[in-house]
Amino acid sequence: MAVSVDEVVPTGPVRDHTRPARRLGGRGRSVLEVALLTVLAVVMLFPALWMIETSIKENRDVYAIPAKFFDFKVTMDHFKDVFVASGGGRSALSVSFLNSVVVAGVSTVLATVLGVPAAWAYSRFGVKAKKDQLFFILSTRFMPPVVVVIPIFLMYRQVGLIDSKLGLILIYAAFNVPFTIWMMKGFVDEVPAEYEDAAMLDGYTRLQAFWRFTLPLLLPGIAATAVFALIFSWNEFVFAIFLTSSDDVRTAPPAIAGLIGGTTVDWGLVAAASVVFALPVLVFAYLVRKHLIAGVTLGAVRR
Amino acid sequence: MAGIEVTALHKRYPDGTVAVDHVDLSIGDGELFVMLGPSGCGKTTTLRAIAGLERQTTGDIRIGNTLVNDLPPAERDIAMVFQFYALYPHLRTRDNLAFPLRAEGLPKAEVRERVDEAARLMRLGPLLDRRPHRLSGGEQQRVALARALVRRPRAFLMDEPLTNLDAELRADMRTEIKHLQGELGTTMVYVTHDQVEAMSLGHRIAILNKGRVEQIGTPLEVYERPASLFCAAFIGSPPMNLIEVEVADGKLRSKSGLVLTPPPSLPRDRCLVAGVRPEALEVTEPGAERSVPARVVSAEWLGDEIIYVVDHGGQRDVRVRMPPTVRFAADAPVGLRHTGGPPPVYDASTEELVA
Ligand SMILES: Nc1ncnc2c1ncn2[C@@H]1O[C@H](COP(=O)(O)OP(=O)(O)OP(=O)(O)O)[C@@H](O)[C@H]1O
Ligand SMILES: [Mg+2]
């Protein structure tokens, strides 16, 4: 989620800087605006561009000094290396990508299945000390996750969840449930309770009313919330590196990080793996771009 | 079809709010019963308790001869129309109407027949294939009514169904609802905070205040003899003039000397307040017979009538309804006299009707 905050905030200051320039007249202002935005865009985009370039350069071009920006030979070898092991068969990286898909997917489904009905209940029923409960749920997200990594590690060792995909799935779901509840409560609040009331008078039970009327209206909200949860689980690094060690359990972030630190670093491979890793996030972020901004103010989503 | 009995209803929400303190209602079979009261007096809560959408804290609810306290809404066989119409947004009008019938598991042919009948009654023909967001407020309201009637329930519950419509449409729909209820003969409980709606629709009106019933009566009874000072101030526009009076040698007299027609029997030793309707007073030339001196504070000319606000001997803001032909200038010295029959008289401390 930090990503979205960073993306949203800069537009403010940039506009502010241009304000004195108004005295220069319309043209001066827009020139300054364009210049500042260009600088910002270059600073933000350069690492991403460099990553993409590196992933399609041959190794000797990667190390070339001065750096080659345009006149290098394009190669897809690094991408092949991401998926295929040197002796043939599947590479360790491709296994870790698959693990990432499983862990992020299942934990998101779990968080959604648990969080959506909870959000509905909090929105619809007079629960005792509702505000305190909701605050408590939110408070589990106040601390940075890394704070609890050691206790979780010790607990997981006791119950045998260390180095298992299930362990990661559970911890990601645990982090995503509070978020799902808060975000979804905002969506549920906007669906008038009268739909359910009317359905109940029409002969349905409360659960049927929820399932048949409220849920379909919540689908866009659920999709947006699930994408946020998915991005969180997909990107998560700290827990993944502490709680897993073997290649067949590891998710992509620690696996990619593991490529760095040997005697030689195959930067081409690192870059190609990173590109493959970043693609799903970019696609999903594009899908929920409207909600990225609204999502910054948790639960206060307006459509 | 069935009557509805509500006995000693009390509802306290989990947060401690007492929405309904004590309500007894006895609604006859086929009656159009209106619950009227200011915002927050517990009308919706009472209605939702009857519908089964809210469980009362204590008290009994009977529909027909059945005690329905523990029945879920689906088994009470009633239909409700909400202030916000609650048409299912993803369904066309036709399917919105058919919905409750499909829930009952009626055969297709019968569903179609009943939907067509309801559509004919509410003149929905051209709207049947539209979704709710493509209907105007009035049309949505008609669809909501039609959806309530397709089921042929034992009773209709209406929670301020016309609030979101503009004045003209509201008057039309009022007529329509009244007509429909008469035609079908189905019991209807109608909640509103609009007294005009209550007066024009109800066979009987219950006036609620702070979770209690202040008065139950026909529109005429409620207008002529409000049962408490609250009702007196609530019903009528402009409302009754509440004038402090005392009993002196068989006469009812205000502090300023205005003489009112006395009711037959009056308690003597109490502070009394008379409720005088604006139309039971008259603004006259100064010094006219039986009049007390007064002064016009302001005049509202409403076309078919003029509402004078007059100030007489310490009693400010007495409202008088006069025909538009009688004109007095603002600030003019005038006379004020009582022309009506005996007014209802209230005890100033208990606020109850005493004569
Ligand atoms: N779910 C709830 N939880 C707590 N208090 C509530 C709840 N619903 C209503 N109340 C309170 O109960 C009281 C009665 O509410 P109710 O909705 O019955 O009023 P009403 O007569 O329908 O008013 P209006 O004319 O504004 O619709 C109000 O004070 C309201 O704040
Ligand atoms: Mg209400």
Side-chain angles (χ1 to χ4, degrees), chain B residues 51-320:
Chain B
L53 295 170
E54 213 77 67
R55 179 71 162 92
Q56 67 269 30
T57 314
T58 56
D60 288 333
I61 297 171
R62 283 188 176 74
I63 299 176
N65 296 320
T66 337
L67 187 68
V68 297
N69 288 355
D70 297 314
L71 287 187
E75 288 168 34
R76 297 191 182 194
D77 196 14
I78 43 190
M80 186 158 169
V81 175
F82 299 86
Q83 174 177 350
F84 155 86
Y85 318 117
L87 299 175
Y88 306 126
H90 54 297
L91 297 182
R92 291 168 201 288
T93 300
R94 186 189 299 284
D95 297 313
N96 257 296
L97 297 185
F99 210 84
L101 301 177
R102 295 200 183 124
E104 275 177 38
L106 290 184
K108 269 209 176 102
E110 167 140 31
V111 169
R112 176 177 312 216
E113 188 183 312
R114 287 228 219 155
V115 167
D116 287 345
E117 187 199 332
R120 191 172 41 76
L121 262 177
M122 296 311 297
R123 302 190 309 276
L124 296 175
L127 312 177
L128 278 177
D129 286 313
R130 294 207 205 152
R131 281 180 223 278
H133 66 95
R134 286 189 46 222
L135 299 174
S136 74
E139 288 166 349
Q140 289 189 29
Q141 185 55 51
R142 296 216 313 268
V143 176
L145 283 172
R147 192 177 70 179
L149 24 123
V150 276
R151 284 207 4 242
R152 302 182 185 154
R154 291 201 289 175
F156 292 122
L157 307 180
M158 310 251 169
D159 190 1
E160 312 203 20
L162 305 184
T163 310
N164 291 342
L165 303 182
D166 61 47
E168 197 182 333
L169 205 53
R170 207 184 302 181
D172 289 350
M173 288 298 298
R174 207 159 64 204
T175 322
E176 201 146 342
I177 288 177
K178 185 166 180 136
H179 174 75
L180 203 69
Q181 194 274 341
E183 195 100 310
L184 299 172
T186 311
T187 313
M188 182 183 287
V189 186
Y190 190 104
V191 161
T192 179
H193 61 238
D194 178 345
Q195 47 165 311
V196 179
E197 218 166 276
M199 300 295 263
S200 63
L201 273 179
H203 298 157
R204 280 191 307 155
I205 299 175
I207 299 176
L208 269 68
N209 182 31
K210 296 185 184 148
R212 289 181 158 269
V213 179
E214 294 264 345
Q215 181 172 16
I216 297 182
T218 64
L220 193 66
E221 283 164 6
V222 167
Y223 189 79
E224 302 258 287
R225 292 187 67 75
S228 65
L229 279 183
F230 172 81
C231 299
F234 192 71
I235 296 279
S237 169
M240 264 186 172
N241 297 298
L242 300 175
I243 301 176
E244 278 179 42
V245 290
E246 51 201 17
V247 185
D249 28 284
K251 283 181 184 156
L252 203 56
R253 195 186 284 275
S254 83
K255 292 215 171 75
S256 64
L258 183 68
V259 178
L260 308 174
T261 317
S265 67
L266 274 177
R268 297 197 156 263
D269 47 354
R270 282 191 265 178
C271 276
L272 298 176
V273 175
V276 187
R277 290 274 171 216
E279 55 270 28
L281 291 169
E282 192 181 17
V283 179
T284 63
E285 296 297 333
E289 193 190 342
R290 289 191 298 114
S291 74
V292 292
R295 188 177 61 84
V296 174
V297 177
S298 71
E300 287 170 37
W301 191 72
L302 299 176
D304 54 347
E305 62 187 26
I306 302 181
I307 307 295
Y308 285 104
V309 181
V310 301
D311 180 350
H312 77 107
Q315 178 102 29
R316 296 195 55 89
D317 294 354
V318 172
R319 287 186 163 70
V320 185

Side-chain angles (χ1 to χ4, degrees), chain A residues 28 37 94 112 138 141 143-146 148 167 172 186 217 249-250 270:
Chain A
L37 284 172
S94 73
T112 307
L138 185 66
R141 291 294 296 255
M143 65 200 163
V146 65
V148 289
Y172 292 169
L217 297 176
V249 173
R250 226 173 220 198
V270 172

Side-chain angles (χ1 to χ4, degrees), chain A residues 70-287:
Chain A
F70 303 108
D71 52 342
F72 56 83
K73 241 185 91 191
V74 173
T75 170
M76 286 294 146
D77 286 353
H78 301 307
F79 284 98
K80 197 182 122 224
D81 290 346
V82 170
F83 294 104
V84 185
S86 48
R90 284 163 69 196
S91 68
L93 263 180
S94 73
V95 173
S96 70
F97 273 115
L98 202 62
N99 289 340
S100 265
V101 171
V102 170
V103 168
V106 176
S107 69
T108 299
V109 169
L110 202 59
T112 307
V113 167
L114 292 175
V116 171
W120 174 68
Y122 276 117
S123 174
R124 290 291 188 258
F125 299 110
V127 185
K128 273 220 174 83
K130 185 193 280 188
K131 278 199 181 139
D132 302 310
Q133 287 193 27
L134 282 170
F135 183 77
F136 172 75
I137 289 170
L138 185 66
S139 72
T140 60
R141 291 294 296 255
F142 286 173
M143 65 200 163
V146 65
V147 171
V148 289
V149 105
I150 303 296
I152 296 274
F153 179 84
L154 296 175
M155 285 195 287
Y156 267 32
R157 207 172 50 186
Q158 287 290 320
V159 296
L161 283 171
I162 282 288
D163 201 22
S164 72
K165 277 180 251 183
L166 180 63
L168 279 187
I169 289 171
L170 289 179
I171 194 78
Y172 292 169
F175 272 100
N176 277 328
V177 163
F179 167 74
T180 305
I181 291 178
W182 269 83
M183 184 118 167
M184 285 312 299
K185 183 171 176 294
F187 285 111
V188 181
D189 284 345
E190 290 205 351
V191 176
E194 275 95 341
Y195 289 133
E196 283 162 45
D197 292 343
M200 284 197 288
L201 284 163
D202 282 353
Y204 293 89
T205 65
R206 191 175 266 287
L207 276 179
Q208 284 173 326
F210 167 68
W211 186 255
R212 301 196 54 157
F213 299 102
T214 310
L215 203 61
L217 297 176
L218 287 178
L219 281 180
I222 292 177
T225 310
V227 166
F228 277 113
L230 200 64
I231 292 176
F232 167 84
S233 310
W234 182 260
N235 284 343
E236 209 287 329
F237 177 73
V238 176
F239 283 100
I241 201 153
F242 271 86
L243 300 180
T244 62
S245 49
S246 58
D247 277 349
D248 50 344
V249 173
R250 226 173 220 198
T251 54
I256 294 171
L259 295 175
I260 307 168
T263 43
T264 60
V265 179
D266 185 350
W267 287 112
L269 181 62
V270 172
S274 304
V275 170
V276 173
F277 179 74
L279 270 179
V281 176
L282 286 179
V283 170
F284 283 128
Y286 178 77
L287 289 179

